[in-house]
Amino acid sequence: MRPTKREELVRSAMQAFYRNGFHATGMDMLVAETGISKTSMYKHFRSKEDLILAVLRLRDEIFRNRFYRRIEELADSPRDQLIAMFDELQEWFEDPDFRGCMFIKASSEYQDRDHPIHKQSADHKRMLQTHISKLAEAAGLSQPDQLARQLLLLAEGAIVTAHMKHTESPARDARQAALALVAAHEPQP
């Protein structure tokens, strides 16, 4: 099925926002990059912020589907999938188009916690944390919610560090820390 103009616009805008940032990408730049007129854009979206929300929904869907699928491909057991998250992150960081996390960027550009863009970004992170917690619970690890929060902190730190190119192997470093965290949450005999 051929994508609609609206879908094409959202996909093109996602690339532009990811590459340039949200505030730096104005409507004129979007017109130039997407080939879709301002009139047509405003026909599909009342505002740039509505377009950003649509972009974030699509990015969330794409990211989580790929992320969950890939960690299941890398590891069979829930425990091993918790560690495989960092292998998947390493693969992402090696992509030449890697520019950091779109949700971290969005929440930093729209810092008011009540702003819909900030909320959408926070929801993405909550959904990841819930998935990680369910994996930890399925693995029989103690305090799965706490472990999920800790592993997500490692992942987020690795993402920011990879984006800033602060160290050579942030995903591998985070993986080592994740191994220790998971071991600390193993049930005691």
Side-chain angles (χ1 to χ4, degrees):
M1 178 184 248
R2 188 171 191 279
T4 65
K5 276 285 189 206
R6 184 182 195 281
E7 292 166 336
E8 286 177 21
L9 172 59
V10 172
R11 285 190 179 278
S12 295
M14 181 171 59
Q15 293 170 353
F17 289 136
Y18 187 58
R19 188 174 49 253
N20 305 314
F22 296 97
H23 291 311
T25 305
M27 294 305 271
D28 290 334
M29 183 185 291
L30 286 172
V31 166
E33 291 202 24
T34 63
I36 298 173
S37 70
K38 276 188 189 178
T39 304
S40 186
M41 279 191 207
Y42 285 114
K43 179 178 143 190
H44 295 289
F45 298 98
R46 291 186 321 246
S47 68
K48 178 180 163 186
E49 289 183 355
D50 285 345
L51 175 58
I52 292 170
L53 289 168
V55 163
L56 291 174
R57 281 190 292 276
L58 177 62
R59 178 67 181 160
D60 171 65
E61 179 185 333
I62 291 169
F63 182 87
R64 285 189 304 120
N65 285 337
R66 188 198 77 230
F67 188 74
Y68 298 164
R69 184 184 68 250
R70 187 65 183 133
I71 63 174
E72 288 173 2
E73 291 169 355
L74 291 169
D76 293 328
S77 72
R79 183 194 185 283
D80 290 344
Q81 288 173 9
L82 292 170
I83 303 304
M85 292 186 330
F86 299 93
D87 299 327
E88 198 287 329
L89 286 177
Q90 180 63 40
E91 291 174 1
W92 182 33
F93 299 165
E94 291 170 356
D95 183 327
D97 293 328
F98 173 75
R99 301 282 185 276
C101 173
M102 182 174 271
F103 300 96
I104 292 171
K105 290 178 180 191
S107 65
S108 68
E109 288 195 47
Y110 293 87
Q111 294 185 21
D112 179 354
R113 291 179 184 204
D114 292 327
H115 194 284
I117 292 171
H118 190 95
K119 285 181 176 182
Q120 180 102 15
S121 299
D123 285 346
H124 168 78
K125 299 301 181 181
R126 272 190 288 281
M127 287 185 278
L128 286 173
Q129 184 175 317
T130 298
H131 185 78
I132 296 166
S133 181
K134 287 178 182 176
L135 286 175
E137 187 174 353
L141 299 170
S142 67
Q143 300 174 308
D145 292 338
Q146 178 189 46
L147 179 58
R149 289 190 308 272
Q150 293 169 340
L151 291 174
L152 190 59
L153 280 171
L154 283 175
E156 297 301 323
I159 293 166
V160 171
T161 302
H163 178 66
M164 295 177 73
K165 303 218 184 294
H166 177 66
T167 65
E168 274 189 45
S169 56
R172 288 186 192 102
D173 292 343
R175 187 184 196 282
Q176 290 303 311
L179 284 166
L181 277 173
V182 169
H185 284 267
E186 292 282 357
Q188 299 300 317

